[in-house]
Amino acid sequence: QKGGFKHFMLKEILEEPDVIVEALRGRIKNGEIEIPELDFDKNYFKNINQVYFVACGTAYHAGLVGKYLVEKYLNIPAQAEVASEFRYRNPVIDERTLVFVVSQSGETADTLAALRLAKEKKAKTIGIVNVVGSSVAREVDKVVYIHAGPEIAVASTKAYVAQVEVITLSILHLAKIIDKLNEANEKLFVEEFQKLEGFAREILENKEEIASFVSTTKNIEETFFIGRNLDYALSLEGALKLKEIAYVHAEGYPAGELKHGPLALITPNSLVIAIDTFTPLSDKTISNIKEVKARGGKVLAIAKKDNTRIKEVADSVFYIPNVLDDLTPIITVIPLQLFAYYMADARGLDIDKPRNLAKSVTVE
Ligand code: F6R
């Protein structure tokens, strides 16, 4: 069942290049991005004045990527929020609000309740879902399946990759409907989407680099993941994975916030995973890495190959291919997942079934 792999989690990470291809299938045709499920016309969209992403855990982190991209490409105010908060306040939404509901299982109790609340308030809803025919899939106005295949390990890996990819494609598709994506930009995205499978394979071929790094860090008890913009969204996901399967306390933090508190915790025993793949803010992140180094902290950076400055400041660097900035989360998450996996394995833990957790959280 595990296809010869030690754990489902590793098997599912190794499936990611294929998942990337499956999520794209039928969504790029004749050089154009098109999500047939989202067959809105311009008028439908004319009145949308805010966008929400509502989800839990890893799916919420995928939604956070969506928030940045909606602001950038649709130019509409956007928020991402965990479903258990959204459902118990008074979110000010109405028929001009578009709510993306993101869920691998489509059965998460809080996510489903948030969806029902959004519908009660007449918001328009789109589901980004893996399990076909699940409750979320049935109750949203429009569902876009991510086609990641069954995910068995409790820790979500390949579903995140497909969620981010499908959310990105959906936003670009909506941008086209409202004339906010020009032809040149669309062409660029189409080309870059097609490179992702190869990029993911390249990262996986180098997975032993991460495994060997872990041999020096397996006993740490605390770590920070830092990044800016999309790298910040990734830092939250990297930290969640490490907590959940390796039982190491980890915090995802906006790199620029370090000096507003957590820098006090940095000592020569600290490990910081610095994610520096979002080129426009790379200089800023490098300054933050220097702040950590000045306190003696150890830094593992994840950076693109063309990042020439990073090796001067970080202790170790894991290089990823030169992916388009707005698509980085889809492949940068892979080394973060591998780091958590190898840490948990080095600590001899039950990776596919972490303590206290269930795959599908159908009760509150
Ligand atoms: C983390 C993880 C959870 C889920 C969350 C939402 O690895 O798996 O955080 O992402 O429980 O589940 P779904 O996507 O099924 O709604």
Side-chain angles (χ1 to χ4, degrees):
Q1 229 184 346
K2 290 185 204 161
F5 296 101
K6 195 167 167 190
H7 300 101
F8 278 110
M9 184 179 174
L10 183 62
K11 175 176 180 274
E12 287 163 4
I13 294 173
L14 292 171
E15 283 168 6
E16 287 172 348
D18 297 326
V19 165
I20 286 172
V21 174
E22 281 309 310
L24 264 188
R25 196 179 298 284
R27 289 165 179 169
I28 291 188
K29 269 193 231 129
N30 308 322
E32 287 196 37
I33 296 170
E34 165 127 35
I35 303 282
E37 298 90 326
L38 304 182
D39 51 351
F40 304 119
D41 61 21
K42 227 187 226 168
N43 281 334
Y44 178 95
F45 232 83
K46 223 174 37 208
N47 295 321
I48 298 292
N49 63 6
Q50 60 172 343
V51 176
Y52 265 95
F53 291 85
V54 180
C56 300
T58 289
Y60 160 68
H61 295 154
L64 201 52
V65 172
K67 165 199 149 87
Y68 285 94
L69 296 179
V70 165
E71 288 173 346
K72 181 163 176 184
Y73 290 99
L74 301 182
N75 202 30
I76 297 175
Q79 303 193 48
E81 189 168 9
V82 290
S84 57
E85 285 298 314
F86 180 90
R87 67 178 286 198
Y88 289 125
R89 54 183 187 87
N90 178 30
V92 183
I93 59 178
D94 56 24
E95 69 285 351
R96 292 164 302 175
T97 306
L98 173 64
V99 178
F100 280 86
V101 180
V102 190
S103 179
Q104 187 283 129
S105 64
E107 302 296 347
T108 302
D110 283 322
T111 306
L112 201 51
L115 163 61
R116 289 175 182 157
L117 176 65
K119 287 181 69 175
E120 228 175 83
K121 290 177 176 274
K122 309 269 182 292
K124 300 183 163 62
T125 57
I126 295 177
I128 306 290
V129 179
N130 193 32
V131 177
V132 176
S134 56
S135 302
V136 171
R138 281 184 278 113
E139 293 189 28
V140 285
D141 299 336
K142 307 271 181 189
V143 59
V144 188
Y145 286 114
I146 63 171
H147 301 307
E151 196 178 56
I152 310 292
V154 165
S156 185
T157 54
K158 62 177 182 171
Y160 174 90
V161 168
Q163 280 160 352
V164 175
E165 190 178 9
V166 169
I167 288 171
T168 308
L169 285 163
S170 300
I171 292 168
L172 295 172
H173 168 87
L174 298 179
K176 271 179 72 176
I177 294 178
I178 57 173
D179 299 323
K180 289 208 167 123
L181 187 72
N182 65 36
E183 252 177 61
N185 237 343
E186 181 175 12
K187 188 163 173 282
L188 175 71
F189 268 109
V190 167
E191 285 168 10
E192 297 295 321
F193 266 111
Q194 274 149 356
K195 293 180 189 167
L196 293 176
E197 179 202 0
F199 287 168
R201 291 197 193 283
E202 198 178 318
I203 291 174
L204 290 169
E205 275 159 23
N206 297 330
K207 64 183 187 310
E208 293 310 319
E209 258 181 63
I210 303 268
S212 65
F213 181 79
V214 160
S215 63
T216 65
T217 60
K218 67 171 191 265
N219 294 321
I220 57 155
E221 287 306 331
E222 174 174 75
T223 176
F224 283 95
F225 287 70
I226 60 167
R228 288 170 179 260
N229 197 284
L230 297 179
D231 288 335
Y232 165 55
L234 277 161
S235 74
L236 295 177
E237 177 57 10
L240 176 61
K241 285 286 101 84
L242 192 65
K243 280 185 272 224
E244 151 175 59
I245 59 161
Y247 312 154
V248 174
H249 179 235
E251 257 189 87
Y253 232 83
E257 272 287 299
L258 273 187
K259 58 165 88 58
H260 299 285
L263 207 50
L265 284 170
I266 302 293
T267 69
N269 296 325
S270 304
L271 173 67
V272 173
I273 314 279
I275 307 168
D276 184 20
T277 67
F278 189 73
T279 316
L281 296 174
S282 179
D283 285 350
K284 303 271 175 207
T285 301
I286 285 182
S287 303
N288 301 127
I289 294 174
K290 287 182 180 160
E291 291 162 5
V292 172
K293 289 306 303 166
R295 274 97 194 153
K298 185 171 170 177
V299 176
L300 166 64
I302 316 259
K304 288 190 205 165
K305 276 184 190 158
D306 62 2
N307 187 331
T308 51
R309 293 183 57 209
I310 193 80
K311 63 176 185 304
E312 290 155 26
V313 290
D315 296 282
S316 315
V317 184
F318 182 84
Y319 287 100
I320 61 155
N322 293 328
V323 56
L324 188 72
D325 283 314
D326 291 330
L327 301 180
T328 50
I330 300 169
I331 65 159
T332 301
V333 78
I334 305 174
L336 301 175
Q337 294 167 345
L338 288 169
F339 179 67
Y341 175 80
Y342 287 121
M343 281 287 285
D345 198 32
R347 293 156 78 98
L349 301 172
D350 190 0
I351 293 181
D352 287 334
K353 288 198 172 54
R355 66 188 178 204
N356 311 337
L357 300 175
K359 180 67 184 163
S360 191
V361 186
T362 53
V363 289
E364 220 187 304

